Amino acid sequence: MVCVWFEAVVLVVWCSSSVAATLPPAERPLLFNSRQVTASATRSILRPLRKLRRGLPRGRWLLEYADVRPLDARSTECQLFLATNVAFFAAGSSLVGAEPALALQLELAGAGSVWYHYNQCSYGGTSHPAVQLAMLIDYAFAIPTALNTAFLAADLGGVPPSALALAMGAVAALVSGWRWEGPRTYMALHGAWHFLSAGAAYQVATAHAHVHGV
């Protein structure tokens, strides 16, 4: 029931994003639709992270993200890219009875990913604060999901071959998206990461549930 609720919320956000994408940049929504919240979060969260980031090796990670311009949230490519997050919602819904904690995490990961990539498509560039804050929210949901999946795999004593193949493909797609950054290439590769990582989590969870008789 909780997962269904999250899917409804994401659907509303998604529909709202299509309308917001037609607005001029100054009128587009920021973090929680509030410039004040965005400014506060930038001061308290992004500035310390940016200072830390300057002392770390160069590369597109932590706060940097791919520039998808000249495409934007109104483009067919961006809409299809956002649609790849359906993999998280489908996997989460399928696991409600077997692994409810992971099911909820997958739903949250999907919601965070939709919000991050919608902002990425809306604002473009590589360092807009609204996109960076949305990316941190995405991290906050995605990392615990990956850790829980790894915990279930460890409890199994190993990763099922099908899940391992999907996980390896997911990592390859993610890393390739860091290397080849053309907008359409990036969207294809990162969209594949969404599908493959959600599939790997689903395979691990179903194997775990089977072993434990759920």
Side-chain angles (χ1 to χ4, degrees):
M1 194 67 185
V2 174
C3 293
V4 173
W5 182 83
F6 271 110
E7 288 174 19
V9 170
V10 171
L11 180 60
V12 171
V13 170
W14 203 334
C15 290
S16 299
S17 72
S18 299
V19 175
T22 66
L23 299 173
E27 298 179 29
R28 291 175 186 160
L30 298 173
L31 186 63
F32 303 122
N33 296 333
S34 169
R35 293 186 180 281
Q36 183 177 355
V37 173
T38 300
S40 176
T42 298
R43 287 192 301 270
S44 61
I45 299 173
L46 285 184
R47 286 180 183 172
L49 282 176
R50 285 170 176 169
K51 183 179 294 186
L52 172 66
R53 180 67 183 87
R54 284 195 291 269
L56 298 175
R58 297 183 64 181
R60 187 170 65 77
W61 58 283
L62 187 59
L63 290 176
E64 289 81 3
Y65 56 90
D67 186 358
V68 298
R69 292 175 301 186
L71 303 175
D72 60 26
R74 292 169 292 185
S75 67
T76 300
E77 292 91 338
C78 279
Q79 293 294 325
L80 290 173
F81 179 43
L82 290 174
T84 62
N85 289 290
V86 72
F88 295 113
F89 303 122
S93 295
S94 300
L95 294 172
V96 171
E99 297 288 349
L102 183 60
L104 178 57
Q105 286 179 309
L106 284 164
E107 298 287 333
L108 289 169
S113 183
V114 168
W115 186 240
Y116 160 43
H117 292 303
Y118 164 65
N119 277 275
Q120 180 184 26
C121 290
S122 294
Y123 293 103
T126 60
S127 60
H128 193 287
V131 185
Q132 291 178 325
L133 290 168
M135 179 167 33
L136 293 177
I137 292 173
D138 179 44
Y139 289 164
F141 291 142
I143 292 173
T145 305
L147 291 175
N148 192 16
T149 302
F151 172 80
L152 294 179
D155 192 46
L156 279 172
V159 181
S162 58
L164 181 60
L166 288 168
M168 291 175 64
V171 172
L174 178 65
V175 173
S176 297
W178 296 340
R179 174 64 179 83
W180 290 284
E181 295 186 346
R184 292 177 179 84
T185 302
Y186 161 76
M187 289 181 186
L189 290 169
H190 201 80
W193 152 258
H194 292 161
F195 276 109
L196 294 170
S197 61
Y202 174 80
Q203 290 289 337
V204 169
T206 52
H208 186 268
H210 177 74
V211 168
H212 290 273
V214 178

